[in-house]
Amino acid sequence: MINLLQQIKNRRLALQLKQNEMPMRIGISRQQYQRLEAKGNPRLDTLELIAKGLNSDVMLIPKEKLSAVLAVLESQGNNTSLQNMQLNHSNEQKKLSDDPWKGLLEDGDDEDDNGN
């Protein structure tokens, strides 16, 4: 399994970002970022900034679930379904931002108070 620093570099490359673009995205100095990617031991708050700059999240994965998570991440077929889940979540967020009260007091069906 690759280490965290290699994962950060791989994600940056997958997003086609240059190393010198990262400091601007996350608000740290160029030297600090270069040192971190090369051999660093980032603090949690710095790691969270990096994850955000790489459109990612920091997550603690229980060891007993690790193989399942890796299988999902590595499988090409599931990448499409993961992207669809993310799009659906994004669309749901947009709907909520348009009308945050929608559905909050409804009991699940589309009937009005008169049963119609």
Side-chain angles (χ1 to χ4, degrees):
M1 190 154 127
I2 61 175
N3 69 29
L4 180 61
L5 297 178
Q6 189 60 48
Q7 289 179 52
I8 290 170
K9 183 177 180 179
N10 290 350
R11 177 65 177 162
R12 176 179 58 77
L13 294 172
L15 293 174
Q16 300 179 343
L17 295 170
K18 295 179 181 166
Q19 193 178 46
N20 63 2
E21 294 173 301
M22 286 301 296
M24 188 69 120
R25 289 177 69 101
I26 63 177
I28 64 173
S29 73
R30 181 180 56 82
Q31 293 87 356
Q32 185 181 6
Y33 184 79
Q34 287 174 335
R35 187 173 46 245
L36 186 143
E37 194 173 286
K39 60 180 177 188
N41 185 10
R43 294 186 332 212
L44 182 57
D45 60 338
T46 304
L47 187 56
E48 289 173 335
L49 285 173
I50 292 169
K52 186 176 181 180
L54 294 172
N55 298 330
S56 301
D57 285 314
V58 176
M59 179 180 282
L60 185 66
I61 302 171
K63 284 188 176 189
E64 63 271 12
K65 303 289 184 184
L66 184 59
S67 60
V69 170
L70 290 173
V72 168
L73 293 174
E74 291 172 359
S75 92
Q76 290 299 324
N78 285 340
N79 282 345
T80 303
S81 63
L82 283 173
Q83 289 171 352
N84 288 338
M85 287 182 349
Q86 290 172 341
L87 286 173
N88 290 340
H89 179 68
S90 177
N91 289 338
E92 187 63 30
Q93 289 294 328
K94 288 177 186 173
K95 290 177 191 173
L96 287 174
S97 66
D98 292 340
D99 184 4
W101 302 106
K102 181 168 180 58
L104 195 61
L105 299 175
E106 297 172 0
D107 60 21
D109 56 26
D110 292 335
E111 295 179 1
D112 62 20
D113 291 339
N114 297 327
N116 297 325

